[in-house]
Amino acid sequence: QVQLVESGGGLVQAGGSLRLSCAASGDNPFSRYNMGWFRQAPGKEREFVAAISWSNGRAYADSVTGRFDISRDNAKRTVYLQMNSLKPEDTAVYYCAADPPPVLIRSAWRDSHRWDYWGQGTQVTVSS
């Protein structure tokens, strides 16, 4: 089992930046997990934002490529999402997700149903 707690959301103007954090707790080998970020806007389905593998491979949604950066600190059991050049369409609840071993293959990362553990989410609102 793993518990995930997101933080760092808030209200920001378009063009601004935020850094989300997701802390993992529990008796689990965090360094062997894939970690991901998804988001869900009102009235929309949850969508993939970014993921980082246990070996630091990364993937991003096309809509955030070049603006967002995912990273991890295994010693702190934390994954981060640095969000720059934010747009109003980035407004959503952002969720952290964990994928324990045996981990998903890269092609499955974008499917939210394949991830095992979820945080409660943190709201990000970007004003125009």
Side-chain angles (χ1 to χ4, degrees):
Q1 290 285 342
V2 59
Q3 294 77 45
L4 303 172
V5 178
E6 303 97 333
S7 61
L11 174 64
V12 64
Q13 288 188 332
S17 298
L18 283 174
R19 189 176 82 153
L20 305 183
S21 299
C22 171
S25 61
D27 183 15
N28 53 79
F30 177 80
S31 63
R32 306 301 293 176
Y33 281 50
N34 291 343
M35 299 297 296
W37 287 97
F38 289 75
R39 67 187 181 187
Q40 188 166 17
K44 295 188 176 182
E45 293 188 354
R46 191 170 296 188
E47 66 174 1
F48 172 80
V49 175
I52 185 167
S53 73
W54 63 273
S55 58
N56 282 320
R58 292 167 171 83
Y60 299 92
D62 291 345
S63 59
V64 307
T65 297
R67 300 188 297 124
F68 290 12
D69 179 65
I70 188 170
S71 61
R72 65 190 298 160
D73 185 333
N74 289 335
K76 295 182 178 180
R77 302 173 64 85
T78 299
V79 63
Y80 304 98
L81 185 68
Q82 177 66 44
M83 305 186 295
N84 300 322
S85 303
L86 283 161
K87 305 175 181 180
E89 50 264 44
D90 294 319
T91 295
V93 177
Y94 283 70
Y95 296 92
C96 176
D99 167 39
V103 297
L104 298 170
I105 59 174
R106 190 181 184 95
S107 60
W109 288 1
R110 298 170 187 267
D111 183 354
S112 63
H113 298 96
R114 303 289 298 273
W115 292 74
D116 288 339
Y117 300 104
W118 293 88
Q120 293 300 306
T122 185
Q123 176 70 47
V124 171
T125 302
V126 184
S127 63
S128 57

